[in-house]
Amino acid sequence: MRDLSTKLNHAAWALAVAGKYQQAFDIYVEARSRGFKLSAPDASNCGFFLLCLENYDEALAQFREAATKATDREGAYLENVGAAQWLLGRHRDAAMTWRHRVSGLLNGTILYADFAGGASDGLLLWYAAVTLKDDELLNYAMEYFRTLSAPSRL
């Protein structure tokens, strides 16, 4: 099954790199119609292709599916869920999704972050706070950055 997933991913991303997002997405649709169970990364890939097709509602559904399937990685794909919410104009929902992820990284309920130790999560939250002119959210984002840059963490 892993080999089939790898082949699907390579074929889909080759199409996506060529700008053929619908065809990339259709690879997964066809696989699913034949009984292939999409993994969390597969569902996330579908979400990315759908974002490129500006189908934000369906992208959000795919990212939520990925988050639900990633039972071994609490909080996975929440940054993508928030991005789809933001593109749908649901800015407050996106901000709360990103805040939830940042809170989880801070309290240890979410263990996995980006290679920068969670900086991109904080940047998404900071952007939302500035755009929404939300001082409380901005203070929370700045406190998160202070925590990330504490000498004990460096």
Side-chain angles (χ1 to χ4, degrees):
M1 195 61 103
R2 175 70 77 192
D3 291 333
L4 178 57
S5 181
T6 300
K7 288 178 184 177
L8 285 172
N9 288 326
H10 285 294
W13 279 104
L15 289 166
V17 166
K20 299 176 181 178
Y21 307 114
Q22 185 64 55
Q23 289 173 293
F25 177 67
D26 289 345
I27 285 178
Y28 290 104
V29 172
E30 175 67 21
R32 187 180 272 168
S33 74
R34 293 175 182 239
F36 181 75
K37 302 272 190 235
L38 296 186
S39 67
D42 295 333
S44 179
N45 288 344
C46 289
F48 282 118
F49 303 147
L50 288 162
L51 283 182
C52 293
L53 292 166
E54 298 181 15
N55 186 342
Y56 305 132
D57 284 313
E58 186 59 27
L60 177 58
Q62 290 294 317
F63 290 134
R64 284 186 171 150
E65 180 180 335
T68 300
K69 288 182 175 194
T71 56
D72 61 330
R73 292 183 46 221
E74 177 67 33
Y77 305 106
L78 287 180
E79 66 281 4
N80 301 334
V81 168
Q85 290 169 321
W86 190 271
L87 291 169
L88 282 164
R90 294 169 45 192
H91 298 157
R92 180 64 52 189
D93 291 342
M96 293 303 100
T97 297
W98 294 326
R99 182 183 175 124
H100 173 72
R101 182 153 165 81
V102 164
S103 295
L105 290 168
L106 284 172
N107 69 28
T109 58
I110 296 176
L111 302 176
Y112 299 100
D114 58 25
F115 288 117
S120 64
D121 298 293
L123 288 170
L124 288 168
L125 185 61
W126 175 86
Y127 176 80
V130 170
T131 302
L132 296 171
K133 296 177 176 47
D134 185 325
D135 290 337
E136 187 276 327
L137 204 57
L138 181 59
N139 289 336
Y140 193 80
M142 297 309 294
E143 185 57 37
Y144 177 69
F145 286 126
R146 280 189 282 282
T147 301
L148 284 185
S149 62
S152 62
R153 289 186 48 102
L154 301 177

